[in-house]
Amino acid sequence: MTFQSCVKITDEWDIVSARQLGRKISKEIGFGTVDQARITTAISELARNIFLYAGTGEICIDKVNEAGKQGLKVMAKDQGPGIIDIRKVMQDGYTTSGGLGAGLPGVKRLMDSFDIESKTDGAEKGTTITAMKWVR
């Protein structure tokens, strides 16, 4: 699958652009307003993490049609330092930025599926998070 809609994340305004793109595409697919809000919140959190922890990266959003189901796929990708302890960052309340600690566990709850891959050394270090939401 190729991602048609991507937003480079280099500053805080790009977080807003990624949110707007997510809302636009989720509305086109047919998500209700509550799920649109969930999707945009998840995208905002993923984009903010890229900005805070990696400096730069991208959010890619694509429409998905599998077995007659419509959905939305969000991929957050960066070449930052990577996440050393994924289990720790997936604990509710864990934060390194002084925020509320909803972070990645919150994204996982907002979306229907969630996958995280992170490498902390070598030429391919960085983090890729893929999350899906299906129209009900």
Side-chain angles (χ1 to χ4, degrees):
M1 173 184 299
T2 57
F3 291 94
Q4 299 295 323
S5 303
C6 295
V7 176
K8 294 264 186 221
I9 305 298
T10 59
D11 61 38
E12 290 194 54
W13 289 108
D14 298 330
I15 298 167
V16 174
S17 296
R19 283 179 58 93
Q20 289 172 338
L21 179 63
R23 184 172 299 279
K24 177 182 174 282
I25 293 173
S26 63
K27 188 174 183 178
E28 287 173 4
I29 292 172
F31 284 100
T33 55
V34 172
D35 278 338
Q36 288 176 38
R38 288 180 178 129
I39 290 165
T40 56
T41 300
I43 290 170
S44 183
E45 183 63 37
L46 293 170
R48 183 162 302 286
N49 282 353
I50 289 171
F51 176 70
L52 289 175
Y53 301 113
T56 63
E58 67 181 354
I59 299 284
C60 294
I61 303 166
D62 203 8
K63 299 174 185 178
V64 178
N65 190 341
E66 277 183 20
K69 290 181 4 182
Q70 290 284 99
L72 181 128
K73 181 178 185 177
V74 177
M75 182 179 281
K77 188 170 183 155
D78 67 62
Q79 284 75 47
I83 300 169
I84 293 171
D85 190 345
I86 292 175
R87 235 179 308 163
K88 187 180 244 183
V89 300
M90 291 306 295
Q91 292 175 356
D92 281 322
Y94 177 79
T95 179
T96 58
S97 66
L100 297 175
L104 295 179
V107 172
K108 185 176 182 179
R109 282 190 297 274
L110 290 167
M111 302 296 279
D112 294 328
S113 68
F114 177 92
D115 181 63
I116 183 169
E117 294 179 26
S118 192
K119 297 179 179 155
T120 58
D121 60 357
E124 295 192 21
K125 71 179 177 180
T127 302
T128 301
I129 297 172
T130 305
M132 299 276 298
K133 188 77 170 169
W134 298 101
V135 176
R136 301 196 191 302

